[in-house]
Amino acid sequence: MLGLDADDPALLLPVRGFGAACDEMSLLWLRNGRPVEIGALADAWITLLASSIRAAYGFAPSPVLSEALHTLGWGAARATVEPMAEETPEGQDCR
C-alpha cells in the first residue's frame, strides 16, 4: 500500500520493531479487556509505523520513504534525524 520494498535493508530493523510492538500491544489489549477503543489502538499502530519509517529514513533517506511518510500524514521527512537530548539522573547530557 505504501510502495515500500520489504527487502530494503534500511527497513529491516525499524519494521521488525514495529511488528513486535504491535504484537505486544495487541496481546496486552486483549488480555486487559480491550481498555481502549479499537480505533485508538489503530491510530497508535499508525503512529508507530510512521515512526518506524522515519527511523528507516534516518538510516537511508530515499524519496520512497519520504512519500510513505507523506501518505501517512507525517509530511516530508527531514534529510537527517536529529537525536533527542537525553539526561542522566545527575542532569548530564548523554548525546
Side-chain angles (χ1 to χ4, degrees):
M1 182 173 140
L2 295 173
L4 300 176
D5 177 6
D7 295 324
D8 182 347
L11 285 170
L12 180 62
L13 291 174
V15 171
R16 291 288 301 267
F18 163 72
C22 288
D23 285 348
E24 186 66 18
M25 289 173 70
S26 299
L27 289 172
L28 289 171
W29 184 74
L30 290 169
R31 287 182 186 151
N32 291 308
R34 301 176 183 181
V36 298
E37 295 294 324
I38 188 68
L41 185 59
D43 286 344
W45 289 331
I46 292 169
T47 299
L48 286 172
L49 176 60
S51 296
S52 297
I53 294 170
R54 185 160 182 238
Y57 187 90
F59 294 152
S62 75
V64 173
L65 294 174
S66 183
E67 181 61 31
L69 288 168
H70 181 73
T71 299
L72 292 170
W74 282 62
R78 294 190 305 221
T80 60
V81 177
E82 298 173 351
M84 293 175 41
E86 295 180 3
E87 294 186 4
T88 64
E90 296 81 24
Q92 298 173 352
D93 190 355
C94 298
R95 279 192 250 189

